[in-house]
Amino acid sequence: MSHFLDIHTTDPVALRQMLDQAAAMKAARAGRPRGAPDDEQPLSGRMVALIFEKPSTRTRVSFDVGVRQMGGQTMLLSGAEMQLGHGETIADTARVLSRYVDLIMIRTFDESVLAEMAEYADVPVINGLTDRTHPCQIMADILTYEEHRGPIAGRKVVWSGDGNNVCASWLHAAGQFGFDFTFTGPASLDPEAEFVGLARSAGSTVVIERDPARAVEGADLVVTDTWVSMHDSQSAKERRHNLLRGYQVNEELMAHAKPDALFMHCLPAHREEEVTSAVMDGPQSVIWDEAENRLHAQKAVMRWCLGV
């Protein structure tokens, strides 16, 4: 059984196969209506549980549409509906769901919930996001980079801002896909040392650079994310803005990167905060392709998990 829990725990050969399949499935759908089924229906007769403890737009829609395009059905469940880990243990919920569905995707807060679900489920489990990592997003991001610029191996990726869960999965991917990674942001928001160490031990050059202009020199890709969580208090938001204001991705910062450097943001974005509209809507931005590619990358992840 193949769970998709994190990029660094998934075999690099399997990761490459997923991206190749995602690109092929995307190409096969060219010109079709969004609701049209794929030629292949590998999920025909399959039921997929989509569990959301955290609110979602892109994850919910892309997984739901992807399952339907491949001929399967979805069961959407919220944490509130399930009282996940409260009225019933995660382990028992995993055992029960395994009697009803063929695949579980969970978007949750604590990484331990994901781990326990995977440990006790008899069907594959996919990490749709935790507070610590977001592997499906980075699969879509690498798919996007490579369809615009070719192989990401040997490239320089720069993250500007908060060393959050998306940044963590970028570090996981650096070691698996062979690119170098630079983080620029305040020391109090550095990515976890464990994740930096994993990338370095896999042969990637990882640099921590406080000066954002120096950090993006020679960058092939510049990435950022929102500075605040929807659950942050007003005072916490103000503190983060004060900390991160100097790491905004704007036209001046992008001018220090390579002329053909791309810009990515996993969305939703707070325009004029972590990134300006001039960059988001500018010629280097590929954020809309990035958002679409969640669909194609996750379809390939689901097929890999199910072996179909």
Side-chain angles (χ1 to χ4, degrees):
M1 184 167 53
S2 300
H3 298 305
F4 185 75
L5 304 182
D6 274 312
I7 288 176
H8 70 294
T9 59
T10 306
D11 181 73
V13 173
L15 292 171
R16 175 51 58 190
Q17 290 172 344
M18 286 183 241
L19 290 185
D20 290 346
Q21 186 168 61
M25 287 191 291
K26 181 177 182 178
R29 289 196 60 84
R32 293 191 178 202
R34 304 299 184 202
D38 290 350
D39 285 337
E40 290 186 87
Q41 295 284 279
L43 266 61
S44 178
R46 308 272 186 151
M47 177 66 71
V48 179
L50 305 176
I51 304 172
F52 293 93
E53 282 201 292
K54 277 191 168 186
S56 168
T57 298
R58 275 151 296 278
T59 301
R60 177 169 178 164
V61 175
S62 56
F63 267 106
D64 196 7
V65 171
V67 172
R68 292 168 188 249
Q69 287 180 352
M70 294 190 292
Q73 298 183 64
T74 57
M75 178 184 298
L76 293 167
L77 301 166
S78 73
E81 289 171 329
M82 302 179 68
Q83 295 188 321
L84 201 60
H86 298 290
E88 182 175 62
T89 66
I90 304 298
D92 287 351
T93 298
R95 293 181 179 108
V96 169
L97 284 177
S98 297
R99 300 298 181 101
Y100 300 139
V101 305
D102 301 285
L103 178 66
I104 298 169
M105 187 289 301
I106 182 167
R107 180 180 173 94
T108 187
F109 293 90
D110 195 323
E111 185 180 54
S112 66
V113 174
L114 170 74
E116 190 171 352
M117 183 72 73
E119 181 179 355
Y120 290 97
D122 293 327
V123 298
V125 174
I126 294 173
N127 177 1
L129 174 143
T130 70
D131 285 344
R132 208 164 177 228
T133 61
H134 196 1
C136 288
Q137 179 64 57
I138 275 54
M139 292 294 283
D141 291 354
I142 294 174
L143 176 64
T144 305
Y145 183 87
E146 294 194 336
E147 69 184 10
H148 283 272
R149 295 288 186 266
I152 198 168
R155 304 289 188 162
K156 178 180 177 179
V157 176
V158 178
W159 179 278
S160 183
D162 176 12
N164 64 10
N165 53 354
V166 184
C167 178
S169 287
W170 269 110
L171 279 164
H172 291 164
Q176 299 289 64
F177 288 96
F179 58 85
D180 296 328
F181 188 85
T182 297
F183 171 83
T184 185
S188 60
L189 297 177
D190 275 355
E192 290 186 39
E194 176 188 342
F195 298 155
V196 172
L198 280 169
R200 286 174 174 163
S201 66
S204 294
T205 298
V206 179
V207 175
I208 307 294
E209 171 57 64
R210 302 297 171 207
D211 182 340
R214 288 184 62 184
V216 302
E217 288 178 2
D220 297 287
L221 172 62
V222 179
V223 193
T224 193
D225 195 5
T226 180
W227 291 343
V228 297
S229 166
M230 64 186 75
H231 307 290
D232 287 343
S233 66
Q234 186 58 40
S235 60
K237 291 177 181 178
E238 290 173 2
R239 285 196 300 273
R240 279 180 164 264
H241 279 108
N242 290 335
L243 273 173
L244 290 161
R245 190 168 289 116
Y247 297 95
Q248 181 190 71
V249 180
N250 49 41
E251 288 178 298
E252 181 181 356
L253 185 65
M254 290 298 295
H256 291 276
K258 286 183 178 178
D260 65 344
L262 298 179
F263 168 75
M264 290 188 190
H265 189 307
C266 67
L267 303 176
H270 295 83
R271 288 173 179 259
E272 315 312 327
E273 292 184 12
E274 71 270 9
V275 60
T276 61
S277 291
V279 171
M280 280 186 69
D281 301 325
Q284 292 171 286
S285 174
V286 290
I287 58 174
W288 311 122
D289 292 339
E290 184 185 3
E292 178 190 342
N293 281 340
R294 288 289 301 276
L295 169 67
H296 308 296
Q298 289 163 184
K299 285 168 70 174
V301 169
M302 287 188 280
R303 292 189 67 169
W304 176 78
C305 285
L306 291 168
V308 294

